[in-house]
Amino acid sequence: MAYFNFPRQTNFYKGKVRDVYTISDTWLVMLASDRISAFDVILPRPIPFKGQVLTQIAAHMLKATADICPNWLVEVPAPNVSIGRKCEPFKIEMVIRGNLTGHAWRTYASGKRELCGANMPGGMKENDYFPAPIITPSTKAAEGHDEDISPAQIIEKGLATEKEWNDLSQYALKLFERGKEIAAKQGLILVDTKYEFGRIGNDIILMDEIHTPDSSRYFYAEGFEERQEKGERQKQLSKEFVREWLIENDFMGKEGQTVPAMSDEWVETISKRYIELYEKVIGSTFVPQKLSEEETEKRILAVLEKITG
């Protein structure tokens, strides 16, 4: 992907997946690349149409939740491009879990019954529903791995005031509830997800992407209870299958480990899984779009001219 230089550009940041341009310290142009990361490492090959999938699911979900919490997004001028308002981010990821899965299950299986200050009842099996969704926040690391943190530590470290923490929690719970409703209509269960928030003045703003395969885990609702009763693995839509493949190939992002080679067939499989998730979550057929760099730039400039005057 080419790198651009826009009028009034004041910053540029290349993340693991996104390239972010700051305009006049007020606006963000976010390009979702086809890069894919796992265990905080960028894998060696891009995944076709992944950027478009993430951008369009996020835009759909932000629009569907705008009545709950104001969000950063203004316009999506190209398949993999979002333009919106720049926020001062809270250095917290609001991870919310409806089921005992993933990191929560690994913690639970080790014998612990508390995660990030949230209690997990005894007698649960992997993938069981919690009595009510729990929030297990993590610190938003600039580099390396994010770390678990409790609400008390968040307030103590000044990452949010008590009022802000309460507001963030209420927003996260309401967004998760809406996400579960949207998923249920498509025969899916939104299992867990994360939200990122920022401030503009005194207002809390929902940032980044929501309810995408990079930030969320979905189970298929059909057959969920039967699989739980039999102790079978749940059928899921997320990028967890990429992590599982890496683990099978002795890679977990640890020092001295080498990322396994990715065959053409495996890259195509990952792409198809992302497209499948788009179609299941959105409920419409995915239409692949590839714009030239010139056309992408032209569309971005048209929006910037409109919003910056």
Side-chain angles (χ1 to χ4, degrees):
M1 186 190 294
Y3 295 112
F4 300 103
N5 191 6
F6 297 113
R8 305 181 212 177
Q9 184 174 314
T10 47
N11 198 15
F12 170 73
Y13 167 73
K14 179 179 177 179
K16 289 192 285 285
V17 172
R18 290 172 184 75
D19 299 330
V20 184
Y21 300 81
T22 307
I23 311 298
S24 302
D25 289 324
T26 305
W27 308 97
L28 294 181
V29 177
M30 193 177 287
L31 278 75
S33 73
D34 288 338
R35 298 190 295 269
I36 184 168
S37 73
F39 299 116
D40 292 318
V41 173
I42 299 170
L43 302 190
R45 295 187 60 182
I47 306 302
F49 304 112
K50 176 178 174 285
Q52 181 185 340
V53 165
L54 294 184
T55 299
Q56 295 187 352
I57 292 178
H60 177 88
M61 293 296 179
L62 287 167
K63 185 177 178 182
T65 56
D67 60 315
I68 295 174
C69 177
N71 65 62
W72 77 285
L73 187 65
V74 173
E75 204 156 325
V76 180
N80 66 327
V81 179
S82 308
I83 297 178
R85 297 177 290 167
K86 181 178 182 288
C87 307
E88 178 196 345
F90 289 95
K91 292 181 179 171
I92 312 163
E93 288 193 342
M94 299 293 286
V95 181
I96 185 159
R97 304 175 185 276
N99 299 65
L100 181 60
T101 304
H103 175 48
W105 167 248
R106 290 188 288 273
T107 303
Y108 195 91
S110 75
K112 296 176 184 172
R113 293 295 176 267
E114 186 180 292
L115 179 60
C116 304
N119 293 317
M120 300 185 287
M124 292 182 71
K125 302 193 307 290
E126 183 176 10
N127 301 329
D128 278 352
Y129 285 103
F130 287 113
I134 63 171
I135 299 174
T136 59
S138 66
T139 55
K140 183 75 180 137
E143 290 183 10
H145 297 274
D146 298 339
E147 294 183 358
D148 292 344
I149 191 169
S150 70
Q153 289 170 319
I154 284 169
I155 295 164
E156 183 186 319
K157 290 175 182 286
L159 299 176
T161 65
E162 187 171 356
K163 181 186 185 306
E164 286 171 336
W165 169 256
N166 290 334
D167 290 343
L168 292 171
S169 299
Q170 288 305 306
Y171 277 139
L173 289 166
K174 287 176 183 175
L175 289 165
F176 189 68
E177 186 179 343
R178 178 68 56 81
K180 286 185 73 69
E181 288 168 6
I182 294 168
K185 288 175 184 172
Q186 301 298 330
L188 296 172
I189 299 164
L190 178 59
V191 175
D192 52 33
T193 192
K194 70 178 174 69
Y195 303 111
E196 296 183 38
F197 295 92
R199 303 179 192 88
I200 296 179
N202 294 322
D203 296 328
I204 292 177
I205 307 291
L206 178 60
M207 295 166 37
D208 201 35
E209 62 175 24
I210 66 166
H211 302 159
T212 73
D214 272 20
S215 64
S216 312
R217 189 188 329 249
Y218 291 90
F219 287 158
Y220 283 90
E222 187 178 354
F224 173 83
E225 296 296 348
E226 292 89 335
R227 286 189 287 272
Q228 279 303 94
E229 283 173 19
K230 294 176 183 175
E232 294 175 357
R233 292 180 69 175
Q234 288 298 337
K235 189 180 175 191
Q236 66 171 284
L237 278 176
S238 73
K239 73 170 187 180
E240 186 67 21
F241 73 99
V242 177
R243 295 189 195 97
E244 288 172 354
W245 172 78
L246 289 168
I247 291 168
E248 286 167 13
N249 285 273
D250 301 316
F251 182 82
M252 291 183 69
K254 294 177 181 173
E255 200 173 331
Q257 294 183 333
T258 305
V259 180
M262 299 169 71
S263 67
D264 293 345
E265 292 78 14
W266 180 231
V267 169
E268 187 181 348
T269 296
I270 299 173
S271 181
K272 284 178 178 174
R273 291 285 286 271
Y274 269 88
I275 289 168
E276 179 191 8
L277 195 138
Y278 172 94
E279 294 183 338
K280 278 299 295 180
V281 170
I282 302 297
S284 61
T285 302
F286 179 77
V287 181
Q289 298 177 57
K290 274 287 187 198
L291 298 185
S292 68
E293 289 163 4
E294 293 78 9
E295 178 63 21
T296 299
E297 184 175 28
K298 180 180 164 188
R299 293 188 184 191
I300 293 169
L301 289 171
V303 173
L304 291 179
E305 191 173 334
K306 185 170 70 176
I307 63 178
T308 62

